[in-house]
């Protein structure tokens, strides 16, 4: 049993409220980006919300993030928008005092970014573009900068979010992405941004699709083949990615995370769904 300290609001949860969703079926307590305290020992922990079976062929291959029997807290079972939540002990990661409440809300998004970086690291990219300066895009920028990528650029329509990106140390933050990148990460997930990710890479480059906003996409496959570009996809994280995220999160500037009492959660969700771009990241606290 975990006493919840802080739980982030994910863009996928906003989507789950706005649209019929086969994965989040009401009644459901959402919330999967959280840190808290074990009731039995008092230890502060970050919780990996992805519960893998550990026994299927994919788990045995080291691909527990796409385990055939996986269940995610806040999606397939009750999550952390609550005072307390029950979680498997094996999904707990001890955290240091440096990982305060705001940084704690960034561990799970950073775990996604760490896994994405693991997929592109063998390409040794020197120029990486990121589409979308929401939490996932900013977390990806943090992971890339921590890994020492020489050039990281990010694009977004919201000046406030671009300002956060500049504070985090990206090399370029604007409303338009150039071309010729080794890798471009789509952290939005619309048909248009997926195509932009492909088209902004150099020949033999790679687009990495992280965002989940739309189901479909429309790209020129013949051009993709003729330039030998690659499309990579990334979903969630393995436990080693999560451990890396705990380490990196303890060092980041998390001043852009807004802490809100849990009882004010409905108002926070409404503000985010109404497009309040001055709010980059909201985390609720019971």
């Amino acid at each position: 049993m975990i006493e919840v300290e802080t739980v982030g609001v994910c863009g996928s949860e906003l989507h789950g409220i706005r649209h019929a969703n086969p994965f989040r079926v009401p009644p459901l307590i959402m919330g999967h980006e959280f840190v808290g305290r074990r009731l039995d020992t008092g230890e502060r922990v970050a919780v990996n919300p992805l519960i893998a079976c550990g026994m299927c062929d994919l788990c045995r291959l080291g691909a527990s993030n796409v385990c055939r029997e996986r269940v995610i807290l806040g999606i397939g079972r009750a999550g952390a928008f609550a005072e307390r939540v029950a979680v498997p002990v094996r999904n707990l990661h001890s955290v240091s005092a440096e990982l305060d409440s705001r940084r704690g809300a960034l561990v799970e998004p950073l775990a996604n970014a760490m896994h994405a970086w693991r997929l592109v690291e063998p390409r040794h990219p020197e120029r990486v573009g990121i589409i979308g300066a929401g939490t996932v895009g900013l977390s990806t920028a943090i992971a890339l900068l921590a890994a020492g990528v020489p050039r990281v650029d990010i694009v977004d329509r919201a000046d406030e979010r671009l300002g956060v990106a500049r504070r985090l140390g990206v090399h370029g933050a604007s409303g338009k992405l150039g071309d010729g990148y080794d890798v471009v990460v789509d952290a939005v997930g619309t048909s248009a941004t997926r195509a932009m990710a492909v088209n902004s890479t150099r020949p033999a480059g790679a687009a990495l699709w992280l965002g989940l906003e739309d189901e479909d996409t429309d790209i020129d496959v013949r051009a993709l083949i003729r330039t030998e570009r690659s499309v990579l996809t990334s979903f969630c994280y393995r436990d080693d990615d999560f451990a890396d995220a705990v380490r990196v999160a303890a060092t980041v500037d998390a001043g852009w995370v807004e802490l809100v009492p849990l009882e004010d959660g409905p108002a926070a969700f409404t503000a985010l769904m109404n497009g309040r771009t001055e709010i980059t990241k909201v985390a609720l606290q019971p």
Side-chain angles (χ1 to χ4, degrees):
M1 289 296 296
I2 302 299
E3 187 174 49
V4 178
E5 175 185 307
T6 307
V7 52
V9 176
C10 178
S12 66
E13 289 161 339
L14 304 179
H15 189 273
I17 290 176
R18 284 194 301 252
H19 307 283
N21 190 300
F23 304 108
R24 290 180 171 89
V25 180
L28 173 69
I29 299 171
M30 296 192 294
H32 60 273
E33 305 175 351
F34 66 107
V35 294
R37 194 175 298 275
R38 290 181 60 156
L39 290 181
D40 56 348
T41 67
E43 179 185 19
R44 283 184 76 239
V45 293
V47 181
N48 179 345
L50 193 150
I51 304 170
C53 74
M55 297 181 289
C56 70
D57 57 332
L58 295 173
C59 283
R60 293 196 305 271
L61 286 170
S64 56
N65 58 308
V66 287
C67 165
R68 297 187 190 281
E69 303 298 328
R70 69 182 181 271
V71 176
I72 300 177
L73 295 167
I75 299 177
R77 58 180 269 188
F81 289 146
E83 290 82 4
R84 295 177 178 179
V85 60
V87 305
V89 171
R90 69 178 184 272
N91 286 58
L92 303 181
H93 291 258
S94 298
V95 299
S96 66
E98 287 74 24
L99 194 110
D100 58 19
S101 294
R102 285 184 169 86
R103 288 169 171 161
L106 297 178
V107 172
E108 194 275 346
L110 270 171
N112 282 280
M114 292 297 177
H115 185 70
W117 167 244
R118 201 180 298 276
L119 296 177
V120 300
E121 183 179 15
R123 294 174 173 267
H124 305 291
E126 296 191 356
R127 293 183 69 231
V128 179
I130 302 170
I131 303 170
T135 303
V136 173
L138 293 172
S139 296
T140 303
I142 291 169
L144 295 173
L145 293 168
V149 174
R151 177 82 193 187
V152 178
D153 295 335
I154 196 165
V155 294
D156 198 278
R157 295 175 178 174
D159 289 338
E160 297 90 348
R161 293 179 177 178
L162 293 174
V164 173
R166 294 186 190 101
R167 276 175 47 193
L168 292 174
V170 300
H171 304 98
S174 67
K176 185 177 180 181
L177 191 65
D179 54 22
Y181 288 93
D182 302 317
V183 173
V184 176
V185 179
D186 172 26
V188 179
T190 66
S191 179
T193 57
R194 288 175 184 144
M196 185 191 304
V198 172
N199 295 333
S200 298
T201 61
R202 59 165 170 76
L208 177 65
W209 292 349
L210 268 177
L212 290 166
E213 182 68 21
D214 293 341
E215 293 182 357
D216 302 317
T217 193
D218 183 19
I219 60 174
D220 185 341
V221 176
R222 288 176 297 182
L224 192 72
I225 294 169
R226 288 174 178 144
T227 55
E228 208 172 68
R229 290 176 166 98
S230 301
V231 173
L232 307 173
T233 62
S234 179
F235 178 75
C236 272
Y237 30 75
R238 306 181 319 204
D239 209 52
D240 52 350
D241 302 315
F242 206 89
D244 286 344
V246 169
R247 173 181 52 81
V248 172
T251 69
V252 303
D253 171 6
W256 47 283
V257 178
E258 182 175 337
L259 300 179
V260 174
L262 180 64
E263 58 265 29
D264 294 338
F269 263 81
T270 300
L272 291 169
M273 287 190 293
N274 285 340
R276 290 272 301 281
T277 58
E278 74 274 16
I279 305 172
T280 303
K281 180 66 175 177
V282 168
L284 306 181
Q285 292 190 300

